[in-house]
């Protein structure tokens, strides 16, 4: 059996076309399937449309979360409730084409547990977003010991044992792209060209993307914390060398007292570094605080089946 997990947040403009294209692809595959839509606290008509789909198609399951918890949690909710031997995760905005699913299934049948779709082009996105995404994936791969594939998102197929492994990971701060890689198991990429959104607007602005990047970095590497120690040690050594130089210079040549501008610059520079690393410590402390509270990842308002 094949499960398709579709997180949805304010997707009323694309749902009907997405359902038409997806079921058109799945009708040509010789596998029974279920469509697990996770309504992540939508404020438009998304839930009503999903209820209609569940009435007309017994393979549609709707998990209505009690509020908007974010995409990472919505995907996790779908993983918790899906029943398939293979699980495909795909967004509803049609940037990731459902027509690629047969290629993912073929690689799963060849023995791969994690078949991820790798973007070789991204239509409809600004140059700034493409550049920042390119840099982020390579930056995080260089900082962590986990091999997180570059240019990939949530669009992928997971085997049942990979899904069961993900269900054992209890953390509240979830960077799913890292978790997919962390569990291991044989993985392979399937290349594709990403389309622009079929309709509607993206839910990801640059502020959300920045926080998402912080989530990924602080979830899978302690390098920023180590960097604080290295920078602090370097600055202390540089200050010691400069102090020794000033002592020698004063003994030999004397000192005419000026140096206020350089002193002010040094104070501001060191103060700025300290504030940056206090902020980094705060990021890690905040995530540790969230984990210690042990709150549930989500609450469900209702589950809708035919």
């Amino acid at each position: 059996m094949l499960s398709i997990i579709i997180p949805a947040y304010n997707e009323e403009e694309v749902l009907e076309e997405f359902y038409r294209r997806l079921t058109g692809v799945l009708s040509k595959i010789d596998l029974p399937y279920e469509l697990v839509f996770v309504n992540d606290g939508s404020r438009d008509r998304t839930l009503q449309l999903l209820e209609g789909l569940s009435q007309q198609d017994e393979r549609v399951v709707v998990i209505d979360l009690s509020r908007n918890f974010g995409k990472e949690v919505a995907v996790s909710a779908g993983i918790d409730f899906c029943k398939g031997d293979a699980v495909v995760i795909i967004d509803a905005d049609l940037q990731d084409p459902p027509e690629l699913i047969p290629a993912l299934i073929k690689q799963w049948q060849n023995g791969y547990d994690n078949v991820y779709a790798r973007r070789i082009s991204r239509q409809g996105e600004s140059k700034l977003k493409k550049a920042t995404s390119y840099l982020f994936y390579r930056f995080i791969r260089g900082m962590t010991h986990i091999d997180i594939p570059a240019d990939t998102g949530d669009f992928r197929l997971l085997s049942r044992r990979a899904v069961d492994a993900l269900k054992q990971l209890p953390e509240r701060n979830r960077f799913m792209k890292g978790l997919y890689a962390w569990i291991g198991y044989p993985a392979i990429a399937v290349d594709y060209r990403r389309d622009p959104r079929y309709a509607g607007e993206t839910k990801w602005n640059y502020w959300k993307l920045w926080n998402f990047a912080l989530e990924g970095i602080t979830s899978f590497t302690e390098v920023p914390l180590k960097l604080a120690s290295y920078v602090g040690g370097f600055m202390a050594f540089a200050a010691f060398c400069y102090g020794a130089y000033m002592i020698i210079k004063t003994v030999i040549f004397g000192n005419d007292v000026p140096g206020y501008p350089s002193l002010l610059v040094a104070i501001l520079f060191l103060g700025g570094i300290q504030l940056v690393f206090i902020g980094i410590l705060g990021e890690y402390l905040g995530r540790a605080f969230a984990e210690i509270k042990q709150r549930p990842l989500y609450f469900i308002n209702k589950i809708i089946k035919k």
Side-chain angles (χ1 to χ4, degrees):
M1 183 177 177
L2 181 68
S3 293
I4 313 293
I5 297 174
I6 310 106
Y9 176 62
N10 293 344
E11 298 289 4
E12 64 176 359
E13 298 180 62
V14 299
L15 274 179
E16 292 181 350
E17 177 64 15
F18 171 79
Y19 174 79
R20 184 191 67 79
R21 280 179 57 180
L22 179 61
T23 53
V25 170
L26 296 178
S27 65
K28 301 173 184 177
I29 299 174
D30 189 23
L31 284 174
Y33 65 87
E34 64 172 354
L35 306 181
V36 182
F37 287 90
V38 183
N39 179 46
D40 189 23
S42 297
R43 297 187 178 93
D44 60 3
R45 295 177 55 250
T46 295
L47 180 58
Q48 291 88 330
L49 293 174
L50 292 177
E51 288 175 336
L53 291 177
S54 70
Q55 290 298 317
Q56 71 183 52
D57 189 342
E58 62 183 5
R59 295 163 299 193
V60 172
V61 179
V62 181
I63 301 171
D64 181 33
L65 301 184
S66 61
R67 65 170 177 84
N68 177 249
F69 287 91
K71 182 183 176 184
E72 308 293 286
V73 173
V75 170
S76 298
I79 286 174
D80 287 342
F81 282 87
C82 68
K83 301 176 181 178
D85 302 295
V87 177
V88 173
I89 302 167
I90 184 172
D91 292 341
D93 57 16
L94 291 175
Q95 286 188 281
D96 301 325
E99 291 76 14
L100 192 68
I101 291 177
L104 304 182
I105 293 174
K106 182 178 179 181
Q107 293 294 354
W108 167 61
Q109 293 171 336
N110 288 337
Y112 291 96
D113 293 277
N114 181 4
V115 187
Y116 54 90
R118 181 170 57 194
R119 301 180 288 250
I120 58 176
S121 69
R122 305 176 65 158
Q123 301 180 40
E125 295 183 359
S126 66
K127 292 182 179 179
L128 178 60
K129 187 173 181 180
K130 292 178 183 178
T132 52
S133 176
Y134 176 89
L135 293 173
F136 167 71
Y137 281 108
R138 283 146 186 85
F139 178 71
I140 195 171
R141 290 185 74 186
M143 293 182 67
T144 178
H145 64 282
I146 304 299
D147 185 17
I148 301 175
D151 306 318
T152 64
D154 291 304
F155 186 25
R156 66 188 62 225
L157 181 147
L158 300 170
S159 69
R160 170 45 57 180
R161 71 169 179 170
V163 167
D164 289 340
L166 286 171
K167 290 167 69 174
Q168 297 180 53
L169 305 180
E171 55 252 56
R172 273 66 184 163
N173 299 292
R174 302 180 73 81
F175 179 64
M176 294 303 297
K177 298 170 187 62
L179 296 181
Y180 299 139
W182 188 88
I183 61 173
Y185 298 126
I188 192 172
V190 174
D191 293 337
Y192 77 110
R193 298 183 182 277
R194 200 175 200 214
D195 299 326
R197 284 184 63 91
Y198 176 79
E201 297 180 355
T202 180
K203 312 306 184 297
W204 292 93
N205 55 37
Y206 285 106
W207 177 247
K208 290 182 179 179
L209 289 172
W210 166 250
N211 285 301
F212 180 69
L214 286 179
E215 190 73 60
I217 292 169
T218 54
S219 295
F220 282 90
T221 179
E222 295 82 31
V223 168
L225 293 175
K226 295 178 181 178
L227 185 63
S229 299
Y230 298 149
V231 172
F234 173 78
M235 295 304 299
F237 178 74
F240 173 80
C241 293
Y242 184 70
Y245 164 75
M246 290 301 297
I247 291 172
I248 295 172
K249 180 181 176 183
T250 301
V251 170
I252 298 175
F253 302 103
N255 188 1
D256 54 1
V257 179
Y260 176 76
S262 59
L263 179 63
L264 183 62
V265 169
I267 291 173
L268 292 175
F269 176 69
L270 293 174
I273 289 179
Q274 290 172 347
L275 289 174
V276 167
F277 285 113
I278 288 173
I280 291 174
L281 289 171
E283 290 289 338
Y284 281 95
L285 183 61
R287 280 153 178 75
F289 179 59
E291 296 295 333
I292 289 171
K293 287 186 288 188
Q294 292 289 299
R295 289 177 179 170
L297 274 178
Y298 55 85
F299 286 107
I300 295 176
N301 181 40
K302 56 184 175 180
I303 297 177
I304 305 169
K305 297 181 181 179
K306 185 173 180 181

